Amino acid sequence: MEKRRIADILRNGQPDETVTVEGWVRTKRELKGFAFMEINDGSFLANLQVIINQDFPDYEALLKQLNIGAAVKVSGVLAASQGKGQRIELQPESMAIVGDSDPETYPLQKKRHSFEFLRSIGHLRSRTNTLGAVFRVRNACSNAIHHFFQDRGFLWIHTPLITTNDCEGAGELFSVTSLPLEKIPQTQTGKVDYEKDFFGKPAYLTVSGQLEAEAMALAFSNVYTFGPTFRAENSNTSRHLAEFWMVEPEMAFCDLQGNMDLAEAFLKFIFKYVLDTCPEDIEFFNKRIDKTVLKTAENIINNDFERITYTEAIALLQKSDRQFTYPVEWGLDLQSEHERYLAEELFQKPAIVTDYPVGIKAFYMRLNEDEKTVAAMDVLSPKIGEIIGGSQREERLDVLERRIQAAEMPLEELWWYRDLRRYGSVPHAGFGLGFERVVQFMTGMGNIRDVIPFPRTPLNAEF
RNA sequence: UCCUCAGUAGCUCAGUGGUAGAGCGGUCGGCUGUUAACCGAUUGGUCGUAAGUUCGAAUCUUACCUGGGGAGCCA
Protein backbone atom coordinates (compact mmCIF):
# COMPACT_ATOMS: atom_id res chain seq x y z
CA MET A 1 0.00 0.00 0.00
CA GLU A 2 1.36 3.38 -1.00
CA LYS A 3 2.74 5.49 1.82
CA ARG A 4 1.90 9.14 1.31
CA ARG A 5 2.51 12.41 3.07
CA ILE A 6 -0.52 14.23 4.38
CA ALA A 7 0.29 17.36 2.36
CA ASP A 8 0.05 15.30 -0.80
CA ILE A 9 -3.21 13.64 0.25
CA LEU A 10 -4.91 16.89 1.20
CA ARG A 11 -3.78 18.60 -2.01
CA ASN A 12 -4.12 15.80 -4.53
CA GLY A 13 -5.90 12.86 -2.90
CA GLN A 14 -8.98 11.46 -4.67
CA PRO A 15 -11.84 9.32 -3.35
CA ASP A 16 -11.29 5.53 -3.47
CA GLU A 17 -7.51 5.86 -3.44
CA THR A 18 -5.87 3.47 -1.03
CA VAL A 19 -3.21 5.05 1.15
CA THR A 20 -1.03 4.54 4.20
CA VAL A 21 -0.14 7.48 6.39
CA GLU A 22 2.04 7.86 9.46
CA GLY A 23 1.82 10.73 11.87
CA TRP A 24 0.85 12.02 15.27
CA VAL A 25 -2.64 12.41 16.70
CA ARG A 26 -3.56 16.07 16.98
CA THR A 27 -7.13 15.70 18.24
CA LYS A 28 -9.85 13.16 18.72
CA ARG A 29 -13.63 13.66 19.02
CA GLU A 30 -15.76 10.78 20.20
CA LEU A 31 -19.44 10.54 19.40
CA LYS A 32 -21.97 7.82 20.15
CA GLY A 33 -21.20 5.35 17.40
CA PHE A 34 -17.95 6.61 15.92
CA ALA A 35 -15.04 8.92 16.38
CA PHE A 36 -13.07 11.53 14.49
CA MET A 37 -9.31 11.56 14.75
CA GLU A 38 -6.99 14.06 13.12
CA ILE A 39 -3.40 13.23 12.37
CA ASN A 40 -0.52 15.40 11.26
CA ASP A 41 2.86 14.36 9.87
CA GLY A 42 4.45 17.82 9.71
CA SER A 43 4.13 18.09 5.95
CA PHE A 44 1.14 20.41 6.03
CA LEU A 45 -0.66 22.88 8.25
CA ALA A 46 -3.98 21.06 8.12
CA ASN A 47 -4.60 17.60 9.58
CA LEU A 48 -5.97 14.52 7.89
CA GLN A 49 -9.30 13.50 9.40
CA VAL A 50 -9.80 9.80 10.02
CA ILE A 51 -13.29 8.39 10.73
CA ILE A 52 -13.38 5.35 12.98
CA ASN A 53 -16.64 3.45 13.23
CA GLN A 54 -17.54 1.45 16.31
CA ASP A 55 -17.42 -1.79 14.32
CA PHE A 56 -13.69 -1.23 13.76
CA PRO A 57 -11.71 -4.09 15.38
CA ASP A 58 -10.96 -3.41 19.06
CA TYR A 59 -12.75 -0.07 18.80
CA GLU A 60 -12.95 0.61 22.56
CA ALA A 61 -9.34 -0.29 23.32
CA LEU A 62 -8.04 1.51 20.26
CA LEU A 63 -9.83 4.74 21.09
CA LYS A 64 -8.35 4.74 24.57
CA GLN A 65 -4.90 4.78 23.00
CA LEU A 66 -5.59 7.32 20.28
CA ASN A 67 -4.64 10.19 22.55
CA ILE A 68 -3.24 13.52 21.51
CA GLY A 69 0.45 13.13 20.80
CA ALA A 70 0.37 9.41 20.03
CA ALA A 71 2.13 8.19 16.88
CA VAL A 72 -0.03 6.13 14.53
CA LYS A 73 0.11 4.31 11.23
CA VAL A 74 -3.16 4.17 9.34
CA SER A 75 -4.06 2.43 6.10
CA GLY A 76 -7.38 2.86 4.40
CA VAL A 77 -9.41 4.39 1.63
CA LEU A 78 -9.87 8.08 0.90
CA ALA A 79 -13.42 9.38 0.70
CA ALA A 80 -15.04 12.72 0.02
CA SER A 81 -15.91 14.25 3.37
CA GLN A 82 -19.56 14.42 4.39
CA GLY A 83 -18.78 17.21 6.82
CA LYS A 84 -17.62 20.74 6.30
CA GLY A 85 -14.05 21.86 6.81
CA GLN A 86 -12.18 19.32 4.73
CA ARG A 87 -12.37 18.09 1.16
CA ILE A 88 -11.23 14.57 1.77
CA GLU A 89 -10.88 12.20 4.69
CA LEU A 90 -9.62 8.72 5.46
CA GLN A 91 -11.70 5.63 6.26
CA PRO A 92 -9.28 3.23 7.92
CA GLU A 93 -8.97 -0.47 7.23
CA SER A 94 -6.08 -1.04 9.59
CA MET A 95 -4.50 1.04 12.28
CA ALA A 96 -1.51 0.64 14.56
CA ILE A 97 -0.40 2.66 17.54
CA VAL A 98 3.31 3.11 16.88
CA GLY A 99 3.96 5.04 20.08
CA ASP A 100 1.33 5.92 22.66
CA SER A 101 1.02 9.15 24.63
CA ASP A 102 -0.30 9.61 28.16
CA PRO A 103 -2.98 12.33 28.09
CA GLU A 104 -2.51 12.97 31.81
CA THR A 105 1.03 14.21 31.31
CA TYR A 106 1.34 15.22 27.64
CA PRO A 107 1.78 18.99 27.88
CA LEU A 108 0.17 19.99 24.58
CA GLN A 109 -3.57 20.44 24.61
CA LYS A 110 -5.96 21.09 21.79
CA LYS A 111 -6.14 24.74 22.60
CA ARG A 112 -3.97 27.82 22.27
CA HIS A 113 -0.81 27.89 24.30
CA SER A 114 1.31 30.93 25.01
CA PHE A 115 4.63 31.08 23.17
CA GLU A 116 6.33 31.46 26.56
CA PHE A 117 4.96 28.10 27.65
CA LEU A 118 5.82 26.47 24.33
CA ARG A 119 9.43 27.62 24.73
CA SER A 120 9.58 25.58 27.93
CA ILE A 121 8.69 22.46 25.91
CA GLY A 122 10.98 23.10 22.98
CA HIS A 123 11.20 19.40 22.19
CA LEU A 124 7.45 19.17 21.59
CA ARG A 125 6.40 22.61 20.40
CA SER A 126 7.11 21.86 16.75
CA ARG A 127 3.99 19.69 16.85
CA THR A 128 1.81 22.78 17.11
CA ASN A 129 0.20 24.56 14.17
CA THR A 130 2.16 27.77 14.57
CA LEU A 131 5.63 26.34 15.13
CA GLY A 132 5.01 23.78 12.40
CA ALA A 133 4.19 26.58 9.98
CA VAL A 134 7.23 28.55 11.16
CA PHE A 135 9.65 25.74 10.43
CA ARG A 136 8.13 24.94 7.05
CA VAL A 137 8.53 28.61 6.13
CA ARG A 138 12.05 28.58 7.53
CA ASN A 139 12.88 25.61 5.34
CA ALA A 140 11.35 27.23 2.25
CA CYS A 141 13.30 30.38 2.98
CA SER A 142 16.57 28.43 3.25
CA ASN A 143 15.77 26.81 -0.06
CA ALA A 144 15.00 30.18 -1.61
CA ILE A 145 18.35 31.56 -0.51
CA HIS A 146 20.28 28.76 -2.18
CA HIS A 147 18.14 28.99 -5.31
CA PHE A 148 18.69 32.71 -5.59
CA PHE A 149 22.45 32.55 -5.31
CA GLN A 150 23.01 29.31 -7.19
CA ASP A 151 20.95 30.58 -10.13
CA ARG A 152 23.25 33.61 -10.26
CA GLY A 153 26.46 31.58 -10.17
CA PHE A 154 27.38 32.33 -6.56
CA LEU A 155 29.54 29.72 -4.84
CA TRP A 156 28.29 28.57 -1.45
CA ILE A 157 31.37 28.71 0.76
CA HIS A 158 31.83 27.38 4.26
CA THR A 159 33.73 29.81 6.43
CA PRO A 160 35.16 28.67 9.76
CA LEU A 161 33.14 28.76 12.94
CA ILE A 162 36.29 28.96 15.01
CA THR A 163 38.39 32.08 14.52
CA THR A 164 41.43 33.65 16.06
CA ASN A 165 40.47 37.10 14.81
CA ASP A 166 39.15 39.03 17.76
CA CYS A 167 38.71 41.95 15.40
CA GLU A 168 36.05 40.65 13.04
CA GLY A 169 33.65 43.30 14.14
CA ALA A 170 31.57 44.38 17.07
CA GLY A 171 29.95 42.08 19.55
CA GLU A 172 31.14 39.97 22.46
CA LEU A 173 32.85 36.72 21.56
CA PHE A 174 32.51 33.24 22.98
CA SER A 175 35.92 31.82 23.81
CA VAL A 176 36.93 28.44 22.44
CA THR A 177 39.52 26.61 24.47
CA SER A 178 40.70 23.16 25.39
CA LEU A 179 42.50 24.44 28.49
CA PRO A 180 41.24 22.95 31.76
CA LEU A 181 39.16 25.78 33.23
CA GLU A 182 39.72 24.63 36.81
CA LYS A 183 43.49 24.76 36.32
CA ILE A 184 44.40 27.26 33.65
CA PRO A 185 48.11 27.36 32.75
CA GLN A 186 49.65 30.76 33.44
CA THR A 187 52.69 32.62 32.18
CA GLN A 188 55.32 33.94 34.55
CA THR A 189 53.50 37.27 34.66
CA GLY A 190 50.30 35.59 35.80
CA LYS A 191 48.37 35.79 32.54
CA VAL A 192 46.66 32.93 30.74
CA ASP A 193 49.27 31.00 28.80
CA TYR A 194 47.50 30.70 25.46
CA GLU A 195 50.55 29.04 23.93
CA LYS A 196 49.41 25.93 25.78
CA ASP A 197 45.91 26.19 24.31
CA PHE A 198 44.72 24.14 21.34
CA PHE A 199 45.47 26.78 18.70
CA GLY A 200 48.43 28.33 20.51
CA LYS A 201 46.55 31.61 20.81
CA PRO A 202 43.14 32.87 21.92
CA ALA A 203 40.29 31.48 19.80
CA TYR A 204 36.63 32.34 19.55
CA LEU A 205 33.39 31.37 17.87
CA THR A 206 32.94 33.49 14.78
CA VAL A 207 30.77 36.59 14.73
CA SER A 208 30.93 36.85 10.95
CA GLY A 209 32.36 35.01 7.98
CA GLN A 210 32.80 38.24 6.05
CA LEU A 211 36.58 38.58 6.10
CA GLU A 212 37.05 35.03 4.83
CA ALA A 213 34.22 35.53 2.34
CA GLU A 214 36.12 38.50 0.93
CA ALA A 215 39.13 36.26 0.36
CA MET A 216 36.97 33.69 -1.42
CA ALA A 217 35.21 36.35 -3.50
CA LEU A 218 38.60 37.44 -4.79
CA ALA A 219 38.98 33.95 -6.22
CA PHE A 220 35.46 33.01 -7.30
CA SER A 221 33.99 36.47 -8.03
CA ASN A 222 30.66 35.79 -6.34
CA VAL A 223 30.26 33.78 -3.15
CA TYR A 224 27.93 33.50 -0.21
CA THR A 225 28.00 32.04 3.26
CA PHE A 226 24.96 30.60 4.98
CA GLY A 227 25.66 29.21 8.38
CA PRO A 228 25.64 29.75 12.12
CA THR A 229 27.14 32.77 13.84
CA PHE A 230 27.68 33.45 17.53
CA ARG A 231 27.42 36.52 19.70
CA ALA A 232 28.04 36.45 23.45
CA GLU A 233 26.37 39.82 23.95
CA ASN A 234 24.05 39.89 26.94
CA SER A 235 21.14 40.91 24.75
CA ASN A 236 17.67 40.23 26.04
CA THR A 237 15.34 41.28 23.27
CA SER A 238 12.84 39.72 20.91
CA ARG A 239 15.30 39.97 18.03
CA HIS A 240 18.61 38.69 19.41
CA LEU A 241 20.04 35.19 19.67
CA ALA A 242 23.43 34.03 20.93
CA GLU A 243 23.49 31.53 18.04
CA PHE A 244 21.85 32.54 14.80
CA TRP A 245 22.18 31.93 11.09
CA MET A 246 23.56 34.53 8.79
CA VAL A 247 23.67 34.92 5.02
CA GLU A 248 26.64 36.86 3.69
CA PRO A 249 27.06 37.33 -0.05
CA GLU A 250 30.30 38.90 -1.23
CA MET A 251 30.89 40.10 -4.79
CA ALA A 252 34.09 41.06 -6.51
CA PHE A 253 33.98 43.79 -9.16
CA CYS A 254 30.97 45.25 -7.45
CA ASP A 255 30.20 48.63 -5.93
CA LEU A 256 27.56 49.88 -3.51
CA GLN A 257 24.95 50.25 -6.27
CA GLY A 258 25.38 46.62 -7.28
CA ASN A 259 25.22 45.66 -3.63
CA MET A 260 21.92 47.48 -3.14
CA ASP A 261 20.49 45.99 -6.32
CA LEU A 262 21.40 42.51 -5.15
CA ALA A 263 19.97 43.04 -1.66
CA GLU A 264 16.68 44.25 -3.07
CA ALA A 265 16.40 41.51 -5.69
CA PHE A 266 17.33 38.98 -3.01
CA LEU A 267 14.60 40.02 -0.58
CA LYS A 268 12.00 40.16 -3.36
CA PHE A 269 12.96 36.69 -4.54
CA ILE A 270 12.85 34.94 -1.19
CA PHE A 271 9.52 36.53 -0.26
CA LYS A 272 7.99 35.47 -3.55
CA TYR A 273 9.44 31.98 -3.23
CA VAL A 274 7.96 31.48 0.23
CA LEU A 275 4.61 32.88 -0.84
CA ASP A 276 4.57 30.45 -3.76
CA THR A 277 5.68 27.37 -1.84
CA CYS A 278 3.93 27.84 1.53
CA PRO A 279 0.68 29.69 0.75
CA GLU A 280 -1.30 27.90 3.45
CA ASP A 281 1.27 28.63 6.13
CA ILE A 282 1.52 32.31 5.17
CA GLU A 283 -2.29 32.52 5.10
CA PHE A 284 -2.28 31.08 8.62
CA PHE A 285 0.18 33.71 9.84
CA ASN A 286 -1.80 36.44 8.18
CA LYS A 287 -4.97 35.27 9.91
CA ARG A 288 -3.70 34.26 13.33
CA ILE A 289 -0.39 35.97 14.04
CA ASP A 290 -0.13 39.27 12.17
CA LYS A 291 -2.77 40.55 9.78
CA THR A 292 -0.22 42.58 7.81
CA VAL A 293 2.03 39.67 6.82
CA LEU A 294 0.56 39.13 3.37
CA LYS A 295 0.30 42.83 2.62
CA THR A 296 3.90 43.36 3.71
CA ALA A 297 5.16 40.50 1.54
CA GLU A 298 3.30 41.82 -1.49
CA ASN A 299 4.56 45.31 -0.74
CA ILE A 300 8.13 44.05 -0.79
CA ILE A 301 7.68 42.00 -3.94
CA ASN A 302 5.91 44.69 -5.95
CA ASN A 303 7.48 47.98 -4.89
CA ASP A 304 10.91 49.45 -5.27
CA PHE A 305 12.71 49.97 -1.99
CA GLU A 306 13.20 53.55 -0.91
CA ARG A 307 16.85 54.56 -1.29
CA ILE A 308 18.21 57.51 0.63
CA THR A 309 21.53 58.61 2.02
CA TYR A 310 22.19 58.92 5.70
CA THR A 311 22.42 62.69 5.24
CA GLU A 312 18.97 62.75 3.63
CA ALA A 313 17.60 60.49 6.38
CA ILE A 314 18.84 62.90 9.04
CA ALA A 315 17.15 65.80 7.20
CA LEU A 316 13.87 63.86 6.98
CA LEU A 317 13.99 63.00 10.68
CA GLN A 318 14.70 66.59 11.62
CA LYS A 319 11.87 67.81 9.41
CA SER A 320 9.32 65.42 10.94
CA ASP A 321 7.04 66.63 13.71
CA ARG A 322 7.67 63.47 15.69
CA GLN A 323 9.34 63.81 19.08
CA PHE A 324 12.21 61.34 19.40
CA THR A 325 13.78 60.20 22.65
CA TYR A 326 17.25 60.22 21.15
CA PRO A 327 18.77 63.25 19.40
CA VAL A 328 18.86 63.46 15.62
CA GLU A 329 22.11 65.01 14.53
CA TRP A 330 24.50 64.40 11.65
CA GLY A 331 27.27 62.14 12.94
CA LEU A 332 25.17 60.21 15.44
CA ASP A 333 23.96 56.72 14.66
CA LEU A 334 20.31 56.14 13.86
CA GLN A 335 18.42 54.71 16.82
CA SER A 336 15.75 52.02 16.63
CA GLU A 337 13.04 54.65 16.90
CA HIS A 338 14.50 56.57 13.96
CA GLU A 339 14.82 53.48 11.79
CA ARG A 340 11.30 52.42 12.58
CA TYR A 341 9.92 55.86 11.84
CA LEU A 342 11.55 55.86 8.41
CA ALA A 343 10.55 52.34 7.37
CA GLU A 344 7.27 51.97 9.21
CA GLU A 345 5.68 55.40 9.07
CA LEU A 346 7.35 57.59 6.47
CA PHE A 347 7.92 55.10 3.66
CA GLN A 348 5.83 52.14 4.85
CA LYS A 349 8.17 49.79 3.05
CA PRO A 350 11.83 48.77 3.26
CA ALA A 351 14.30 51.61 2.91
CA ILE A 352 17.98 51.43 2.08
CA VAL A 353 20.03 54.05 3.88
CA THR A 354 23.53 54.58 2.51
CA ASP A 355 26.69 56.60 3.07
CA TYR A 356 26.94 56.76 6.84
CA PRO A 357 29.47 58.92 8.68
CA VAL A 358 32.86 57.29 8.82
CA GLY A 359 32.97 57.57 12.59
CA ILE A 360 30.10 55.18 13.29
CA LYS A 361 30.91 52.38 10.87
CA ALA A 362 33.41 49.53 10.65
CA PHE A 363 36.98 49.91 9.43
CA TYR A 364 36.55 47.79 6.31
CA MET A 365 33.85 49.98 4.74
CA ARG A 366 35.05 51.98 1.74
CA LEU A 367 35.82 55.64 2.35
CA ASN A 368 33.85 57.94 0.04
CA GLU A 369 35.39 60.82 -1.91
CA ASP A 370 34.13 63.32 0.67
CA GLU A 371 36.26 61.51 3.30
CA LYS A 372 33.39 62.07 5.74
CA THR A 373 31.21 59.10 4.83
CA VAL A 374 31.65 55.45 3.92
CA ALA A 375 29.90 53.33 1.28
CA ALA A 376 27.73 51.53 3.84
CA MET A 377 24.14 50.45 3.45
CA ASP A 378 21.49 49.34 5.90
CA VAL A 379 18.20 47.89 4.73
CA LEU A 380 15.58 48.95 7.25
CA SER A 381 12.33 47.08 7.37
CA PRO A 382 9.10 47.89 9.14
CA LYS A 383 8.77 46.12 12.53
CA ILE A 384 12.17 44.40 12.53
CA GLY A 385 14.43 47.37 11.92
CA GLU A 386 17.84 46.66 10.42
CA ILE A 387 17.42 43.46 8.44
CA ILE A 388 20.51 43.79 6.24
CA GLY A 389 23.77 45.59 6.88
CA GLY A 390 26.42 45.82 4.20
CA SER A 391 28.96 47.93 2.40
CA GLN A 392 31.39 48.29 -0.40
CA ARG A 393 34.71 47.19 1.09
CA GLU A 394 37.83 49.31 1.21
CA GLU A 395 40.03 47.90 -1.56
CA ARG A 396 42.82 50.50 -1.36
CA LEU A 397 45.66 49.24 0.83
CA ASP A 398 46.83 52.62 2.08
CA VAL A 399 43.33 53.77 3.00
CA LEU A 400 42.54 50.45 4.66
CA GLU A 401 45.68 50.55 6.77
CA ARG A 402 44.87 54.10 7.82
CA ARG A 403 41.40 53.00 8.88
CA ILE A 404 42.72 49.98 10.80
CA GLN A 405 45.11 52.20 12.71
CA ALA A 406 42.43 54.78 13.37
CA ALA A 407 40.29 52.02 14.85
CA GLU A 408 43.28 51.09 17.04
CA MET A 409 43.32 47.57 15.70
CA PRO A 410 46.48 45.47 15.28
CA LEU A 411 47.71 45.66 11.69
CA GLU A 412 49.75 42.45 12.01
CA GLU A 413 46.81 40.20 12.81
CA LEU A 414 45.08 41.36 9.65
CA TRP A 415 48.11 40.59 7.52
CA TRP A 416 46.24 38.25 5.19
CA TYR A 417 43.29 40.63 4.89
CA ARG A 418 45.70 43.38 3.83
CA ASP A 419 47.39 40.95 1.43
CA LEU A 420 44.11 40.75 -0.49
CA ARG A 421 44.59 44.48 -1.26
CA ARG A 422 48.12 43.86 -2.34
CA TYR A 423 47.52 41.17 -4.94
CA GLY A 424 44.79 41.75 -7.49
CA SER A 425 42.62 43.94 -5.33
CA VAL A 426 39.29 44.88 -6.88
CA PRO A 427 36.28 46.89 -5.78
CA HIS A 428 34.04 44.46 -3.93
CA ALA A 429 30.96 44.59 -1.79
CA GLY A 430 28.65 42.43 0.25
CA PHE A 431 26.14 42.35 3.02
CA GLY A 432 24.99 40.31 5.99
CA LEU A 433 21.46 39.24 6.62
CA GLY A 434 20.12 37.82 9.86
CA PHE A 435 18.26 34.73 8.70
CA GLU A 436 15.97 34.48 11.72
CA ARG A 437 15.02 38.12 11.36
CA VAL A 438 13.86 37.44 7.83
CA VAL A 439 11.82 34.47 8.99
CA GLN A 440 10.39 36.68 11.73
CA PHE A 441 9.54 39.29 9.17
CA MET A 442 7.88 36.76 6.84
CA THR A 443 5.81 35.09 9.51
CA GLY A 444 4.99 38.06 11.70
CA MET A 445 6.29 36.17 14.73
CA GLY A 446 7.02 38.68 17.47
CA ASN A 447 9.90 36.87 19.15
CA ILE A 448 12.98 35.58 17.36
CA ARG A 449 13.12 32.65 19.81
CA ASP A 450 10.07 31.23 18.09
CA VAL A 451 11.55 31.06 14.59
CA ILE A 452 14.56 28.86 15.43
CA PRO A 453 13.94 25.31 16.67
CA PHE A 454 16.13 25.46 19.76
CA PRO A 455 17.05 29.05 20.64
CA ARG A 456 20.20 29.96 22.52
CA THR A 457 19.91 33.13 24.57
CA PRO A 458 21.41 34.31 27.87
CA LEU A 459 20.60 31.70 30.54
CA ASN A 460 18.89 29.45 28.03
CA ALA A 461 20.54 26.54 26.23
CA GLU A 462 18.05 23.78 27.10
CA PHE A 463 17.29 21.09 24.53
C1' U B 1 23.35 45.56 31.23
C1' C B 2 19.21 49.33 32.10
C1' C B 3 13.78 50.54 32.45
C1' U B 4 9.06 48.30 33.09
C1' C B 5 5.32 44.58 33.94
C1' A B 6 4.44 39.79 35.69
C1' G B 7 4.99 34.80 38.47
C1' U B 8 -1.73 31.46 41.97
C1' A B 9 -4.24 24.03 39.49
C1' G B 10 -1.24 20.61 33.63
C1' C B 11 -2.57 25.49 30.51
C1' U B 12 -4.89 30.67 30.44
C1' C B 13 -6.19 33.75 34.25
C1' A B 14 -9.45 36.07 38.52
C1' G B 15 -8.68 36.89 43.66
C1' U B 16 -5.23 43.54 46.38
C1' G B 17 -5.21 41.94 54.65
C1' G B 18 -9.85 37.41 57.04
C1' U B 19 -11.99 29.44 54.76
C1' A B 20 -7.88 28.91 47.52
C1' G B 21 -11.48 30.32 42.60
C1' A B 22 -13.13 30.06 37.16
C1' G B 23 -12.56 28.44 32.13
C1' C B 24 -9.89 24.99 29.42
C1' G B 25 -7.31 20.17 29.98
C1' G B 26 -7.52 15.15 32.37
C1' U B 27 -11.07 11.30 34.18
C1' C B 28 -16.24 9.18 34.11
C1' G B 29 -21.06 9.34 31.76
C1' G B 30 -24.34 11.15 27.61
C1' C B 31 -24.84 12.49 22.33
C1' U B 32 -25.40 9.54 14.53
C1' G B 33 -20.88 14.10 10.87
C1' U B 34 -17.74 16.42 14.55
C1' U B 35 -13.75 19.89 13.52
C1' A B 36 -11.01 24.94 19.89
C1' A B 37 -17.47 19.70 19.05
C1' C B 38 -21.40 19.94 22.56
C1' C B 39 -24.12 18.59 27.55
C1' G B 40 -23.59 16.72 32.82
C1' A B 41 -20.45 15.21 36.80
C1' U B 42 -15.65 14.86 38.75
C1' U B 43 -10.34 15.63 39.50
C1' G B 44 -6.78 19.08 40.43
C1' G B 45 -2.73 23.91 44.78
C1' U B 46 4.54 24.29 48.74
C1' C B 47 -0.01 31.06 45.61
C1' G B 48 8.30 31.72 42.13
C1' U B 49 12.18 31.39 46.54
C1' A B 50 13.82 33.39 51.26
C1' A B 51 13.27 36.70 55.14
C1' G B 52 10.21 40.50 57.44
C1' U B 53 5.52 43.42 59.07
C1' U B 54 0.75 41.63 61.21
C1' C B 55 -3.68 38.40 65.73
C1' G B 56 -3.87 36.85 60.57
C1' A B 57 -0.21 37.42 54.08
C1' A B 58 -1.64 34.90 47.48
C1' U B 59 -2.49 40.14 48.94
C1' C B 60 1.98 44.75 52.40
C1' U B 61 7.87 45.39 52.70
C1' U B 62 12.95 43.81 51.24
C1' A B 63 16.30 40.72 48.63
C1' C B 64 16.93 37.07 45.11
C1' C B 65 15.32 33.77 40.96
C1' U B 66 12.60 33.22 36.41
C1' G B 67 9.73 35.07 32.35
C1' G B 68 7.30 38.99 29.05
C1' G B 69 7.62 43.92 26.77
C1' G B 70 10.87 48.07 25.71
C1' A B 71 15.99 50.19 25.37
C1' G B 72 21.22 49.64 24.58
C1' C B 73 24.44 46.45 21.62
C1' C B 74 23.54 44.29 17.02
C1' A B 75 21.98 40.71 12.34
Side-chain angles (χ1 to χ4, degrees), chain A residues 5 11 14 87 126 144 177 216 271 286 372 381-382 390 415:
Chain A
R5 299 301 299 271
R11 285 193 181 115
Q14 295 301 324
R87 182 180 65 85
S126 293
T177 181
M216 295 296 271
F271 269 83
N286 196 58
K372 293 195 182 93
S381 84
W415 67 272

Side-chain angles (χ1 to χ4, degrees), chain A residues 30-46:
Chain A
E30 289 181 64
L31 282 82
K32 174 77 171 173
F34 60 106
F36 298 96
M37 172 184 68
E38 292 184 30
I39 61 176
N40 190 290
D41 65 357
S43 63
F44 202 63
L45 181 68

